[in-house]
């Protein structure tokens, strides 16, 4: 099975712009979660989607949003970019999305905000 | 608040040395415990996990971890490290039924040949 894929792998934006990142989960996985990884804050949970519904949300401002499509693919959007949004954004998918479950991570999208 | 602590931020070992990385968590309810590894230039990979049952779990590449409920700990061990184990190691916890993983700050392991 192919792993979690994320596009694009690298992105450079300027402050004030918006950006959309894409994630394709492992085939058959229905839950997709997003994380932000920075040197200062480490790995932080953004949100999780299951069956096109956001089930859980981390402590991030409303500029961070996401959605999931019927084929389980997911996108996250960051509007009005700030310098502090520069980070590696990781997508993870899991099979059931309930009970004890394991998340498998993609390679990430490295976003640089200038 | 839920939190995960990894007390060793940087560890340097020689090949064949034994490894133990500490992980403590503060979490209510039933927990699921994970160790992930991030090799240089690669994505996060699952090393091992604990959901229930035998508190001593074995993972890939000779790693194992022990869940000690009374100490809220899930320490990672390997009897003899190799140069290829150079990586960053993350402990993570979730509550059963929720996909949100709370990660520790990570431990950078450097194994010198």
């Amino acid at each position: 099975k192919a792993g979690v894929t994320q596009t694009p792998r690298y992105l450079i934006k300027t402050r004030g712009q918006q950006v959309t990142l894409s994630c394709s989960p492992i085939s058959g996985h229905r839950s997709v979660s997003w994380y932000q990884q920075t040197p200062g804050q480490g790995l932080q949970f953004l949100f999780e989607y299951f069956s096109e519904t956001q089930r859980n949300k981390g402590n991030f401002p409303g500029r961070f949003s996401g959605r999931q499509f019927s084929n389980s693919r997911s996108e996250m959007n960051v509007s009005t970019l700030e310098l502090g949004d520069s980070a590696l954004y990781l997508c993870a998918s899991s099979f059931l999305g309930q009970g004890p479950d394991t998340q498998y991570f993609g390679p990430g999208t490295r976003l640089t905000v200038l | 608040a839920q939190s995960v602590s990894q007390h060793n931020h940087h560890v340097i070992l020689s090949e064949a040395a034994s490894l133990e990385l500490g992980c403590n968590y503060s979490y209510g309810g039933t927990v699921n415990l994970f160790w992930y590894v991030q090799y240089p230039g690669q994505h996060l990979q699952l090393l091992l996990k604990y959901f229930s049952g035998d508190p001593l779990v074995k993972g890939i590449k000779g790693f194992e971890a022990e869940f000690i409920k009374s100490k809220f700990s899930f320490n990672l061990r390997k009897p003899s490290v190799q140069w290829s184990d150079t990586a960053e190691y993350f402990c993570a916890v979730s509550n059963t039924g929720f996909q949100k993983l709370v990660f520790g700050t990570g431990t950078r392991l450097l194994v010198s040949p």
Side-chain angles (χ1 to χ4, degrees):
Chain A
K1 269 186 184 178
V4 177
T5 57
Q6 294 186 244
T7 57
R9 294 292 311 278
Y10 302 91
L11 211 45
I12 300 175
K13 293 284 187 180
T14 56
R15 281 182 298 174
Q17 287 187 308
Q18 75 165 19
V19 66
T20 299
L21 312 181
S22 182
C23 171
S24 292
I26 292 171
S27 178
H29 284 196
R30 295 186 291 167
S31 170
V32 173
S33 298
W34 289 88
Y35 294 83
Q36 182 195 64
Q37 186 177 21
T38 60
Q41 300 297 319
L43 280 149
Q44 294 187 286
F45 173 80
L46 280 156
F47 29 64
E48 183 236 349
Y49 286 86
F50 180 80
S51 291
E52 302 178 64
T53 301
Q54 186 183 91
R55 289 201 302 187
N56 207 348
K57 191 177 190 308
N59 215 11
F60 280 81
R63 299 185 297 106
F64 292 81
S65 63
R67 59 178 176 167
Q68 186 181 35
F69 302 95
S70 57
N71 61 359
S72 294
R73 192 177 67 85
S74 177
E75 288 180 348
M76 69 163 279
N77 185 276
V78 188
S79 62
T80 319
L81 284 166
E82 300 176 0
L83 294 179
D85 297 332
S86 294
L88 181 66
Y89 290 89
L90 298 173
C91 169
S93 74
S94 58
F95 179 55
L96 290 175
Q98 57 187 345
D101 206 356
T102 301
Q103 292 182 50
Y104 296 91
F105 286 81
T109 294
R110 184 162 298 279
L111 171 65
T112 302
V113 182
L114 303 175
Chain B
Q2 303 160 339
S3 65
V4 178
S5 297
Q6 290 182 245
H7 305 294
N8 315 102
H9 297 296
H10 292 90
V11 173
I12 301 174
L13 294 173
S14 299
E15 273 194 316
S18 64
L19 170 72
E20 180 159 3
L21 301 182
C23 172
N24 288 90
Y25 62 92
S26 172
Y27 237 86
T30 305
V31 293
N32 303 312
L33 299 156
F34 306 84
W35 276 96
Y36 284 89
V37 60
Q38 194 169 34
Y39 297 103
Q42 296 188 28
H43 61 279
L44 271 174
Q45 300 173 37
L46 180 69
L47 210 48
L48 48 77
K49 62 189 177 186
Y50 173 80
F51 291 160
S52 63
D54 188 344
L56 184 62
V57 293
K58 295 191 185 300
I60 61 172
K61 304 186 179 184
F63 285 90
E64 65 177 32
E66 185 176 12
F67 170 51
I68 303 179
K69 191 174 181 180
S70 61
K71 294 185 177 180
F72 299 92
S73 71
F74 189 55
N75 293 352
L76 181 71
R77 299 194 291 249
K78 186 171 184 178
S80 176
V81 295
Q82 301 173 311
W83 176 78
S84 57
D85 293 324
T86 294
E88 191 161 15
Y89 293 80
F90 294 91
C91 180
V93 182
S94 70
N95 276 131
T96 294
F98 295 91
Q99 295 304 294
K100 174 184 175 180
L101 284 170
V102 176
F103 284 87
T105 51
T107 297
R108 288 186 185 272
L109 171 66
L110 175 62
V111 180
S112 57

